[in-house]
Amino acid sequence: LLIVFFNAIVNMSLFFDLEGAFLMSIVQCPAPVPHTGGPHPEFGSHAGHGHHHGSHGFSKGGAGGCPMGSFLKNGTCAPEPPSSPEWSLSVHCADKHMVMNRGRGIMANLATLAHIGTIFAIIVLGPLIDAWGRKEVMIL
């Protein structure tokens, strides 16, 4: 019984890791533009203090900064490559903050649907199975 429980936990955590990675990889967004005029909204008031640098060494904070997942190159925000620790986790969106938020939102919606399905099964299918039998309900 302990082995079955442990196996279920490992499989569930592996599934959610794969599901989360997949959902974040399909997030799409418009190309980010360099931020001008004060601290970048993503970096708050700490922008410009101890600049954040991507794998290419370009400044991330302060005026002209790009969101995490991209770096400033020739006046535009270029996406970080997948090999970079700053990569956005999606080839379709170079804004890591947006990718993470949208990915989490999709995962939350899917978890809600799963719970609604479970409640439906308990409330509706449980009594049907008790009344008609397991085989008949499965055929239905």
Side-chain angles (χ1 to χ4, degrees):
L1 185 62
L2 183 61
I3 292 172
V4 171
F5 179 71
F6 178 74
N7 191 28
I9 290 174
V10 169
N11 286 336
M12 188 170 44
S13 65
L14 178 62
F15 172 76
F16 285 126
D17 283 348
L18 292 174
E19 176 191 31
F22 170 73
L23 292 174
M24 288 185 200
S25 74
I26 62 173
V27 170
Q28 297 181 3
C29 68
V33 293
H35 178 73
T36 57
H40 194 283
E42 182 178 342
F43 303 113
S45 62
H46 298 292
H49 304 285
H51 292 291
H52 300 272
H53 295 279
S55 60
H56 300 280
F58 292 91
S59 174
K60 296 244 186 201
C66 295
M68 186 180 289
S70 60
F71 62 94
L72 191 61
K73 180 178 179 184
N74 299 327
T76 62
C77 293
E80 290 279 356
S83 60
S84 168
E86 300 290 330
W87 183 48
S88 69
L89 306 175
S90 175
V91 296
H92 308 290
C93 182
D95 185 341
K96 190 171 189 171
H97 183 70
M98 187 177 293
V99 170
M100 298 292 285
N101 282 340
R102 287 186 181 172
R104 287 184 193 126
I106 295 169
M107 285 187 277
N109 290 339
L110 290 175
T112 300
L113 289 174
H115 291 302
I116 289 170
T118 301
I119 291 169
F120 173 79
I122 290 170
I123 293 173
V124 176
L125 295 180
L128 282 178
I129 289 172
D130 291 342
W132 293 354
R134 187 179 303 161
K135 188 174 185 180
E136 288 78 10
V137 172
M138 293 299 283
I139 291 172
L140 182 78

